[in-house]
Amino acid sequence: MNQVLREEKKFLLSLPEFIRLSHRLSQVMQEDPHNGVHGYPIRSLYFDSIDDRDFHEKAAGVELRRKIRLRCYDPAADYAMLEMKQKQGANQLKRSLRLARADAARLAEGDYSPLLRYPEAFAAECYALMHSHLYRPKTIVEYNRKAFIAKENKIRITFDSRIVSTESCFDLFAPRLNMNPVLDPYDVVLEVKYNGFLLSYLRELINGVDRSELSVSKYVLARQNGYQTRL
């Protein structure tokens, strides 16, 4: 099991600002080895309780809250990551566990019993929470990410674009899904993640672009988009 505790800030950028800032960051930070030329794809299946507790707590700004998701980077992969993100004051705690493809597929169908076969305490915690609160798959969110890394302070800066979602199919490993746009295609979500403090030269670069702080998550944006689509 992996565990990361850090602060996280989100901003909304225009496409031109993304291009300018990513070019500047490429000169002072290391690129994620998975970036390639245009970044890499991410697909996440989000779960929530039967009464959408996590969605409503995030939308209401509740201080202590969580999100549970399955994440893969390629529908053909033989595994997925089960992740729980918990808001703790200014920090985000993210814990993750690698699941075999078959086990992840069963979770996507609402069967959480495969978690009982994993020895990690985190697996048992997720099973108890998802089973007792009747968690169910709610939406799949997919986007393209370009990421930069500064090892000095475990800083990670990411740009997420072409964000789309669906609530009509929860097959995480489907080669193709019928998706709807979550944001304008010319909008890019900037996420700045760091431990303790952000290095001054990176703060100056980020402050030099025209951006607005984003208080809602991709999960909330996707669910709101789903509500609007059903109306």
Side-chain angles (χ1 to χ4, degrees):
M1 188 197 78
N2 295 322
Q3 178 172 306
V4 179
L5 180 65
R6 59 193 176 193
E7 291 191 53
E8 184 175 303
K9 301 290 185 182
K10 296 182 181 180
F11 305 94
L12 194 62
L13 299 182
S14 66
L15 189 59
E17 289 287 7
F18 154 62
I19 294 171
R20 283 194 289 269
L21 181 56
S22 64
H23 174 69
R24 292 168 183 163
L25 291 177
S26 68
Q27 298 174 337
V28 296
M29 299 182 72
Q30 293 184 3
E31 289 203 28
D32 188 298
H34 300 96
N35 271 356
V37 177
H38 303 294
Y40 57 92
I42 293 178
R43 180 184 287 181
S44 297
L45 169 60
Y46 287 89
F47 298 82
D48 207 336
S49 65
I50 195 168
D51 59 351
D52 290 338
R53 181 185 64 179
D54 297 345
F55 168 76
H56 292 300
E57 287 185 351
K58 171 61 178 175
V62 174
E63 184 66 19
L64 299 176
R65 56 184 185 268
R66 68 171 58 87
K67 285 183 294 189
I68 300 177
R69 67 193 180 202
L70 277 173
R71 170 166 288 186
C72 74
Y73 301 92
D74 181 352
D78 61 359
Y79 74 96
M81 301 301 296
L82 176 63
E83 299 181 342
M84 181 189 295
K85 291 186 72 174
Q86 293 170 280
K87 178 73 170 176
Q88 298 184 350
N91 295 315
Q92 291 269 5
L93 173 64
K94 185 177 82 170
R95 292 178 289 165
S96 58
L97 176 67
R98 179 170 172 146
L99 301 183
R101 179 187 176 102
D103 293 339
R106 288 179 64 181
L107 263 66
E109 295 170 355
D111 176 10
Y112 309 131
S113 61
L115 294 174
L116 298 175
R117 297 199 300 268
Y118 287 79
E120 292 84 358
F122 176 62
E125 179 185 343
C126 287
Y127 173 81
L129 177 69
M130 298 172 78
H131 188 70
S132 62
H133 290 279
L134 302 178
Y135 270 68
R136 293 294 180 267
K138 296 291 183 172
T139 187
I140 286 181
V141 179
E142 189 173 273
Y143 50 91
N144 193 75
R145 167 165 286 180
K146 191 168 187 179
F148 297 89
I149 303 164
K151 293 183 178 179
E152 298 91 336
N153 200 29
K154 296 184 179 180
I155 296 170
R156 187 170 175 84
I157 297 178
T158 62
F159 300 90
D160 298 335
S161 58
R162 299 197 295 274
I163 305 172
V164 294
S165 69
T166 182
E167 295 183 5
S168 63
C169 178
F170 301 130
D171 183 357
L172 184 69
F173 300 108
R176 294 182 180 274
L177 291 169
N178 184 21
M179 299 289 213
N180 297 305
V182 171
L183 290 174
D184 187 291
Y186 293 99
D187 286 336
V188 178
V189 175
L190 163 66
E191 296 187 2
V192 183
K193 307 166 188 178
Y194 56 95
N195 289 348
F197 62 92
L198 185 63
L199 297 174
S200 59
Y201 69 93
L202 295 177
R203 185 185 303 110
E204 290 174 3
L205 283 176
I206 293 167
N207 287 341
V209 302
D210 182 17
R211 79 278 190 274
S212 55
E213 189 155 3
L214 191 65
S215 61
V216 296
S217 67
K218 298 182 191 71
Y219 170 59
V220 169
L221 290 170
R223 295 298 307 279
Q224 290 173 338
N225 180 67
Y227 288 141
Q228 293 170 357
T229 302
R230 290 193 294 270
L231 293 178

